[in-house]
Amino acid sequence: MLRVLAVDDEKPALEELLYLLRRDPRVRSAEGATDATEALRRIGRALEAGPGGEEAIDVVFLDIHMAGLTGLDVARLLAGFARPPLIVFVTAHEGFAVQAFDLKAVDYVLKPVRTERLAEAVRRVADLTAPADRPGVAAAPEQIPVELGGVTRFVPVDAIAYVEAQGDYARLHTDEGSHLVRIPLSTLEERWAERGFVRIHRSHLVALGRIDELRLDAGATTVRVGSAELAVSRRHARQLRELLMRRVRG
């Protein structure tokens, strides 16, 4: 059962969000704060009390545009704590999804808030806070926000086969299609190294487990990822072969 703090400086929006949250059977309690200062004060008390305390907070549903400190400012401050509450952004603005990704937000819900969309955000939080040994419950997969015709979707990182650099942008290739995000390839390489993504070329980052074939032909190395054939630069070829062999042995 989730303990929720909702933060919005517009009282009608806050009351509507609290009403919807309290109707969700996975929510144990939902309290509100009308500004960032009040929210940080309450979160501070919750962190001091610890996860078992009466004032504990599992997740903060956070508006972005507020007077004084913004929701993004609050999230950045919380990132400095050892065990901060999870963050779900609730905003009328579509353009902050990349910053939400940078701050490791669980979800990004657009206003006006729809009941089913909020329920999906609550489900994601519940999955992440569920005990690891609870049968049938797995941690929610890491996701990355992408914009599609004014709608923000969250694509699971595990669904991405490879990433292609396009200037300051990166194109994510999945089995269903591709998505352009305003994140440099070098940033994704650093973030996703532990998830099995490897750099094979200045233009490509590949999920190691999605490589179907490694080919050496006349000194040139390529890999096949689904229907795509991608060049491997000389400086990355040896490391890639070693990683693939280690994976096979493992």
Side-chain angles (χ1 to χ4, degrees):
M1 297 288 285
L2 298 173
R3 296 158 296 187
V4 179
L5 176 66
V7 188
D8 197 315
D9 62 352
E10 295 183 0
K11 193 172 181 180
L14 179 60
E15 290 177 348
E16 174 68 12
L17 180 59
L18 288 171
Y19 171 74
L20 294 175
L21 286 167
R22 288 165 180 163
R23 290 179 59 191
D24 194 301
R26 293 162 294 196
V27 174
R28 171 178 166 184
S29 63
E31 303 301 327
T34 55
D35 60 63
T37 302
E38 180 187 356
L40 287 170
R41 190 183 306 118
R42 296 177 70 168
I43 294 168
R45 291 201 305 264
L47 292 173
E48 287 178 6
E54 291 184 4
E55 296 185 283
I57 297 170
D58 298 307
V59 57
V60 182
F61 282 75
L62 188 58
D63 188 23
I64 288 182
H65 277 298
M66 296 186 291
L69 290 175
T70 69
L72 294 172
D73 293 329
V74 172
R76 291 187 186 102
L77 288 170
L78 293 180
F81 290 90
R83 296 186 65 182
L86 299 173
I87 297 290
V88 172
F89 285 111
V90 183
T91 176
H93 303 274
E94 301 173 357
F96 296 98
V98 172
Q99 289 96 317
F101 172 67
D102 288 339
L103 293 166
K104 296 180 170 55
V106 176
D107 209 341
Y108 189 89
V109 179
L110 289 175
K111 297 178 181 178
V113 177
R114 294 180 292 110
T115 303
E116 61 273 19
R117 182 65 185 85
L118 186 65
E120 172 63 15
V122 172
R123 182 195 65 76
R124 291 175 178 173
V125 173
D127 285 348
L128 285 172
T129 58
D133 58 352
R134 199 166 107 194
V137 176
E142 182 183 345
Q143 298 171 315
I144 180 168
V146 300
E147 299 292 329
L148 291 172
V151 176
T152 301
R153 280 189 55 204
F154 283 77
V155 175
V157 173
D158 292 343
I160 299 167
Y162 68 97
V163 187
E164 178 184 3
Q166 294 189 351
D168 291 334
Y169 291 74
R171 183 167 292 279
L172 315 176
H173 292 266
T174 70
D175 293 338
E176 286 74 37
S178 68
H179 311 281
L180 194 64
V181 294
R182 194 171 184 175
I183 304 174
L185 193 69
S186 57
T187 300
L188 296 178
E189 177 185 11
E190 180 181 345
R191 289 179 184 169
W192 293 349
E194 293 183 358
R195 302 189 69 88
F197 281 81
V198 295
R199 191 73 168 259
I200 63 167
H201 191 276
R202 66 181 181 180
S203 300
H204 289 109
L205 185 68
V206 175
L208 199 64
R210 300 294 291 269
I211 294 176
D212 300 310
E213 183 178 276
L214 175 70
R215 179 177 296 177
L216 182 62
D217 186 12
T221 305
T222 60
V223 292
R224 183 171 59 81
V225 182
S227 60
E229 186 171 331
L230 309 174
V232 181
S233 66
R234 289 188 177 183
R235 65 186 293 250
H236 293 104
R238 180 176 178 179
Q239 180 191 21
L240 178 62
R241 287 196 297 268
E242 290 176 352
L243 287 171
L244 288 170
M245 290 304 296
R246 201 177 305 158
R247 186 181 180 87
V248 170
R249 293 192 195 103

